[in-house]
């Protein structure tokens, strides 16, 4: 197969790698990946911490207004 399709193979491979890397950066998990699991847990902890902090700040603001 010495036709034009051979020229597109490296570009197709590079595009697939870019799609895979972007998915991994966004936290999408493909197959068994312990690193992705650890990153997902870490992100979940950070998000929960932010939510809890905002709830506590809101409660403090409400309590201050109600005094």
């Amino acid at each position: 197969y010495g036709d034009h399709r051979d020229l597109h193979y490296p570009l197709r491979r590079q595009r697939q790698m870019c799609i895979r890397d972007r998915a991994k950066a966004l936290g999408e998990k493909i197959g068994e990946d312990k690193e992705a699991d650890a990153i997902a847990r870490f992100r979940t902890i950070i998000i929960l911490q932010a939510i809890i902090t905002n709830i506590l700040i809101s409660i403090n603001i409400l309590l201050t207004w109600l005094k």
Side-chain angles (χ1 to χ4, degrees), residues 2-59:
D3 58 14
H4 72 281
R5 287 180 286 183
D6 291 340
L7 298 174
H8 296 296
Y9 176 74
L11 296 175
R12 192 175 322 133
R13 179 178 162 88
Q14 183 179 9
R15 184 170 184 272
Q16 289 170 343
M17 289 170 57
C18 288
I19 291 170
R20 184 202 64 213
D21 292 345
R22 188 182 75 182
K24 190 172 184 178
L26 293 174
E28 181 179 321
K29 209 175 101 168
I30 301 170
E32 288 295 320
D33 187 355
K34 292 184 187 277
E35 182 183 2
D37 288 341
I39 292 170
R41 281 193 295 274
F42 188 69
R43 286 180 176 174
T44 302
I45 290 169
I46 290 173
I47 290 171
L48 286 175
Q49 180 183 13
I51 290 170
I52 291 169
T53 301
N54 286 328
I55 289 172
L56 292 174
I57 289 171
S58 299
I59 290 172

